[in-house]
């Protein structure tokens, strides 16, 4: 004879549930770290003395970090001498080596963006267009110590004579607010457009009328020594004197 099993009521303890989460970005990690700190007895969330940074600034800082790692800065010291790259005699201005040609779209866009950023600060800018005067190419090679022209990417920026870098470096300094500190104390640029050159920085040579050829009697026509290969000279009204 089988005994009937008695039904007993047993209490079932609920197991503690575990919270699962996933972090998909840097801002999620920072938010979770802040929440964990507050839950662990840290600073109260309503404390006015230590305000928590916004999500926008956290995300911006993460992007700037990734950008700085993916775009290394130009070397600011010469590989040959190890000295800091400088332009002597340009301590009170900004020198920009660029090109106005649209042959390479990315280079042209970078040059235009850098010039627009610097012009917004009303700083005195010495713009040296390599497409208008090939002598600027030789000058930049000598300053940077580059023997191959193919390695000279544009633009290249010098502030107070010190080498800053190219387009990425100028953009990063502008976004972080450091570019304004670099330009503080410089004399303001003269407002308006130069009437002599129309903001091009060059005018026709008066000796050869822009032909780059001069007639010298029995010697015939010879190259003009007062202008560049395009028959141009730097505008005497708005361009700084040669160093």
């Amino acid at each position: 004879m089988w005994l009937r099993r008695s039904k007993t009521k047993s209490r079932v303890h609920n197991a503690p549930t575990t919270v699962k989460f996933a972090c998909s970005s840097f801002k999620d990690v920072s938010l979770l770290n802040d929440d964990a700190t507050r839950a662990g007895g840290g600073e109260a969330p309503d404390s006015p003395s230590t305000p928590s940074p916004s999500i926008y600034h956290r995300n911006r800082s993460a992007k700037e970090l990734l950008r700085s790692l993916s775009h290394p800065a130009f070397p600011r010291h010469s590989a040959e001498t190890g000295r800091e790259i400088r332009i002597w005699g340009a301590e009170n201005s900004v020198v920009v080596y660029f090109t106005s040609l649209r042959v390479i779209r990315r280079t042209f866009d970078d040059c235009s963006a850098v010039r627009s950023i610097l012009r917004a600060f009303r700083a005195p800018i010495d713009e040296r267009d390599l497409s208008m005067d090939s002598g600027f190419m030789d000058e930049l090679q000598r300053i940077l110590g580059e023997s191959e022209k193919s390695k000279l990417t544009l633009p290249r920026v010098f502030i107070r004579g010190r080498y800053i870098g190219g387009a990425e470096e100028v953009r990063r300094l502008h976004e972080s607010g450091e570019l304004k500190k670099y330009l503080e104390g410089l004399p303001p640029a003269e407002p308006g457009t130069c009437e002599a050159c129309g903001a091009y920085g060059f005018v026709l040579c008066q000796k050869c009328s822009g032909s780059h050829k001069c007639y010298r009697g029995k010697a015939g026509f010879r190259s003009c020594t007062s202008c560049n290969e395009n028959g141009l000279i730097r505008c005497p009204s708005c361009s700084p004197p040669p160093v």
Side-chain angles (χ1 to χ4, degrees):
M1 185 175 181
W2 298 93
L3 295 177
R4 183 177 297 177
R5 180 180 298 177
S6 62
K7 297 182 179 180
T8 59
K9 296 181 179 181
S10 61
R11 296 181 180 180
V12 178
H13 298 282
N14 295 329
T17 59
T18 59
V19 180
K20 297 182 179 180
F21 57 89
C23 301
S24 59
S25 64
F26 285 102
K27 63 181 182 180
D28 296 333
V29 175
S30 60
L31 288 173
L32 290 172
N33 289 338
D34 290 348
D35 295 339
T37 303
R38 293 174 180 174
E43 189 71 21
D46 298 332
S47 176
S49 59
T50 56
S52 176
S54 63
I55 298 176
Y56 169 77
H57 289 91
R58 291 170 180 153
N59 194 17
R60 180 179 177 182
S61 300
K63 289 181 178 179
E64 289 180 357
L65 175 61
L66 291 177
R67 190 185 307 161
S68 62
L69 293 176
S70 59
H71 298 282
F74 286 115
R76 292 181 174 85
H77 292 77
S78 174
E80 297 179 357
T81 61
R83 297 180 180 178
E84 184 181 19
I85 300 175
R86 297 183 63 91
I87 296 180
W88 301 104
E91 288 76 12
N92 293 323
S93 65
V94 179
V95 179
V96 181
Y97 289 89
F98 73 103
T99 179
S100 57
L101 294 180
R102 300 173 181 263
V103 178
I104 303 177
R105 180 62 181 272
R106 180 176 181 180
T107 300
F108 176 79
D109 292 342
D110 288 342
C111 292
S112 300
V114 167
R115 293 168 66 197
S116 299
I117 292 173
L118 295 173
R119 286 177 177 179
F121 289 94
R122 305 294 182 183
I125 305 175
D126 181 6
E127 297 182 346
R128 303 182 181 183
D129 191 351
L130 275 67
S131 62
M132 299 287 284
D133 191 344
S134 61
F136 290 145
M137 173 67 75
D138 300 331
E139 180 179 300
L140 185 59
Q141 280 186 278
R142 184 175 66 256
I143 294 173
L144 299 179
E146 290 286 351
S147 58
E148 300 180 11
K149 295 182 179 181
S150 59
K151 295 183 179 180
L152 291 178
T153 57
L154 298 175
R156 297 295 179 100
V157 180
F158 296 79
I159 299 179
R160 299 179 184 273
R162 295 179 57 189
Y163 180 53
I164 299 300
E168 288 297 327
E169 285 71 23
V170 173
R171 288 192 182 101
R172 283 204 299 269
L173 290 174
H174 181 51
E175 291 176 0
S176 63
E178 294 293 326
L179 183 61
K180 183 178 180 180
K181 298 179 181 179
Y182 277 72
L183 300 174
E184 286 181 352
L186 291 176
E190 295 184 1
T193 303
C194 179
E195 297 180 357
C197 65
Y200 286 100
F202 287 88
V203 294
L204 290 177
C205 177
Q206 296 180 356
K207 292 184 178 181
C208 64
S209 300
S211 63
H212 193 52
K213 296 292 183 180
C214 292
Y215 183 73
R216 303 184 184 277
K218 295 181 179 181
F221 286 94
R222 292 291 185 269
S223 298
C224 180
T225 58
S226 301
C227 58
N228 60 17
E229 72 279 3
N230 297 318
L232 302 174
I233 60 173
R234 300 205 71 183
C235 179
S237 300
C238 62
S239 298
V243 179

